[in-house]
Amino acid sequence: MRNEALPDTPTSKKSSNAYETALTPGRSRLIWVISTIGVVLAVVAAFMSDGPTLWGLLPIVLYAVLAILGMDIVVATVVAVVSGIIISKMGAIEIGEMLGESLADQITIIGLIIMLGAGVGEVLKVTGVAQSIVSTVMHVFGRSGKNMMVFGVMASCLILVAALGTLAGAIAIAAPILLPITARLGYTKSATASMLFIGGCAGLALAPFAGSNVAIMEAAEVNYGQYVLYGGGPIALLSLVVGVPVVALMQRWTARKNDFYSTEEVGEAKSGETPGSRLPTFVFLALLAVSVVFAAVTSAGTTFPLLALPILGVATAIASRMRVADIVSTIYRGCSQVISIFILFWLLAALFIIIDKLAPFDVVMDLFGAQLESASPFVFTIIIALLGWVGVPGATAAQVVLLDKVFGELGNTLGVSAGSWVIVLLFASKADTYGPFPNGNMVGVMGLARSTNLRNMLFTGWMLLVPACIMYFLILFVETR
């Protein structure tokens, strides 16, 4: 399941742990048994190895297995770090130095960017900018026929998710505005859920400061323009083109089953625009556009959001005439909701410092280098993309970092281009949002759309996933020739 964000529910207290999971007692016992076995193997490895060793793969394998089984991903990372420390026989002073070094690592910076993005997202909600964006888009598209209205709903979700960098959080803002509109026009719950989901996923692929996208740009060493050209742009465009007929098909299919909204479920249509939100909305969108263009033109690195995000948040709040104390507390509140993500990336940075010290991939290259260098870049990219699709769940940005650290150097050796690597990491980290199995984003959007038919949501994801697979397959085939 994905944890880009958690839905905002005013009646429930949000956990400060973005990766909190609920496990059955049996699954919990199994996870801790495997953790104990992993640590014991690390102790054995410490006595059996010295210098570069294949035992350095143990922390990564242990991390992947624990995450797949559903362990809190932060705790799984701690177990992996501990096993790596044991294998490398690091002393207390060396551990402290390593943890200090990891704080300045690019991986940790991605975690900080995610925190700052959450702070800006909180400002957009408090100032009414998020609601204003949805209201404006629907005003433009909502009066030109049903197909344009569907496009408007998807475009609203796309823009809002791209601006906030979170799917569930953005849809939670948009749904109360959009549901009365779609209900009034006779759209079913499943068709409405499809609109929200398709538009939201397209926006998530384009979000310039979303953690997973920043991680992809860092790993592939590309700017935002190149990322959009090879990765986010094609899937966003495909979603908007395919989305309208997919929604029409879902509407015809479910209208016969009386899957309509009641007045009690959606209420009356809302304007969605908070008084006084026009100026801060203009300021935010203008500065966002300037930031994106500047980043693309200057090839600004992944540290640029560290400056851009605070400026976006503070300028929007000032335009809304918020007091300084309120600005600070609002940004703090947003950041605090994802503190676990920052800790995760700090620990991941430490884990990969340990892996570099153990150098297991140097051993792999010495053993199989000749065979790997003769492998086809196309086959390699397909394998890694599929591995990511079915691999470590939980956090898309962390998954990107893990795949790049494990396979990035090998990809360079095989001559995989930066554009191809963008596609691989994008597909590996986001494809399972569309299927083939249910996931958190699907269920979250269904709940916000008041839909209860998971099968219909799965069909929506599959109808996007199949053409997306074909599209990226063809792009990779051309790029790796």
Side-chain angles (χ1 to χ4, degrees):
M1 292 177 65
R2 296 292 182 199
N3 290 285
E4 288 284 351
L6 299 175
D8 295 317
T9 52
T11 58
S12 61
K13 184 178 179 180
K14 294 178 71 173
S15 171
S16 59
N17 180 8
Y19 301 113
E20 188 173 26
T21 57
L23 300 173
T24 63
R27 176 68 66 89
S28 181
R29 285 193 295 271
L30 173 63
I31 284 173
W32 284 109
V33 167
I34 293 174
S35 300
T36 303
I37 293 173
V39 172
V40 171
L41 286 175
V43 173
V44 173
F47 286 101
M48 295 178 59
S49 63
D50 193 18
T53 172
L54 285 174
W55 280 106
L57 296 174
L58 175 63
I60 294 176
V61 173
L62 185 60
Y63 172 81
V65 170
L66 294 176
I68 289 171
L69 288 175
M71 184 182 231
D72 181 317
I73 198 168
V74 177
V75 179
T77 310
V78 170
V79 174
V81 169
V82 169
S83 67
I85 289 173
I86 293 172
I87 296 171
S88 59
K89 299 185 281 289
M90 298 174 67
I93 295 177
E94 196 175 0
I95 293 172
E97 291 175 346
M98 180 265 296
L99 292 174
E101 181 183 349
S102 65
L103 275 174
D105 194 278
Q106 284 294 112
I107 297 173
T108 309
I109 289 174
I110 294 173
L112 180 57
I113 289 170
I114 295 173
M115 279 184 57
L116 291 173
V120 174
E122 191 70 15
V123 170
L124 297 186
K125 286 183 276 187
V126 170
T127 58
V129 170
Q131 295 91 329
S132 179
I133 291 172
V134 176
S135 178
T136 301
V137 174
M138 289 309 300
H139 180 76
V140 173
F141 291 100
R143 302 178 178 180
S144 304
K146 281 196 168 185
N147 284 340
M148 287 303 293
M149 192 282 301
V150 170
F151 187 86
V153 171
M154 294 192 298
S156 299
C157 296
L158 184 155
I159 294 171
L160 194 57
V161 171
L164 271 66
T166 159
L167 193 149
I171 301 301
I173 296 170
I177 304 169
L178 297 175
L179 262 58
I181 298 174
T182 62
R184 187 175 67 247
L185 293 174
Y187 278 95
T188 65
K189 298 176 184 179
S190 293
T192 300
S194 296
M195 298 180 213
L196 303 183
F197 180 73
I198 293 169
C201 289
L204 197 59
L206 291 176
F209 302 127
S212 57
N213 298 344
V214 172
I216 291 171
M217 288 183 270
E218 169 67 22
E221 298 180 358
V222 299
N223 60 32
Y224 179 70
Q226 293 169 305
Y227 164 78
V228 171
L229 177 64
Y230 289 101
I235 188 62
L237 182 60
L238 178 72
S239 297
L240 294 178
V241 171
V242 176
V244 174
V246 166
V247 171
L249 177 63
M250 188 61 63
Q251 174 69 11
R252 288 196 299 271
W253 190 358
T254 56
R256 298 191 298 266
K257 302 178 181 178
N258 199 31
D259 184 34
F260 296 102
Y261 291 101
S262 65
T263 304
E264 293 76 17
E265 285 178 306
V266 296
E268 297 297 324
K270 304 176 183 179
S271 68
E273 189 166 315
T274 303
S277 63
R278 290 190 178 183
L279 177 59
T281 300
F282 173 79
V283 169
F284 170 75
L285 292 177
L287 286 177
L288 178 63
V290 169
S291 299
V292 170
V293 171
F294 178 84
V297 171
T298 63
S299 297
T302 52
T303 53
F304 175 67
L306 296 176
L307 173 65
L309 286 170
I311 290 176
L312 282 169
V314 172
T316 302
I318 290 174
S320 189
R321 298 182 180 179
M322 288 178 66
R323 296 181 305 167
V324 173
D326 291 336
I327 295 173
V328 173
S329 64
T330 300
I331 294 176
Y332 277 169
R333 185 168 63 250
C335 292
S336 68
Q337 294 168 2
V338 293
I339 187 67
S340 57
I341 296 179
F342 175 77
I343 294 173
L344 168 66
F345 279 81
W346 176 38
L347 293 171
L348 277 176
L351 175 62
F352 290 120
I353 289 173
I354 296 171
I355 298 302
D356 287 342
K357 178 181 175 67
L358 295 172
F361 299 108
D362 290 350
V363 179
V364 172
M365 290 303 296
D366 289 340
L367 292 174
F368 306 107
Q371 296 92 321
L372 291 173
E373 288 175 2
S374 63
S376 163
F378 175 69
V379 173
F380 172 79
T381 55
I382 294 297
I383 290 173
I384 303 305
L386 293 176
L387 178 65
W389 185 13
V390 300
V392 179
T396 54
Q399 186 166 325
V400 168
V401 170
L402 181 63
L403 287 173
D404 181 63
K405 284 293 182 180
V406 175
F407 300 107
E409 192 59 39
L410 180 55
N412 287 334
T413 302
L414 296 175
V416 176
S417 67
S420 297
W421 201 232
V422 167
I423 295 171
V424 168
L425 296 178
L426 179 77
F427 188 90
S429 61
K430 288 183 170 61
D432 58 352
T433 298
Y434 299 94
F437 306 111
N439 58 74
N441 281 337
M442 283 185 180
V443 175
V445 171
M446 281 176 55
L448 293 167
R450 308 291 190 270
S451 174
T452 58
N453 196 317
L454 179 58
R455 183 183 63 179
N456 289 343
M457 182 58 77
L458 280 171
F459 285 166
T460 297
W462 295 345
M463 284 187 282
L464 286 172
L465 181 62
V466 171
C469 288
I470 295 172
M471 176 185 69
Y472 282 127
F473 181 90
L474 294 174
I475 294 175
L476 279 177
F477 182 79
V478 173
E479 279 291 306
T480 53
R481 290 300 89 195

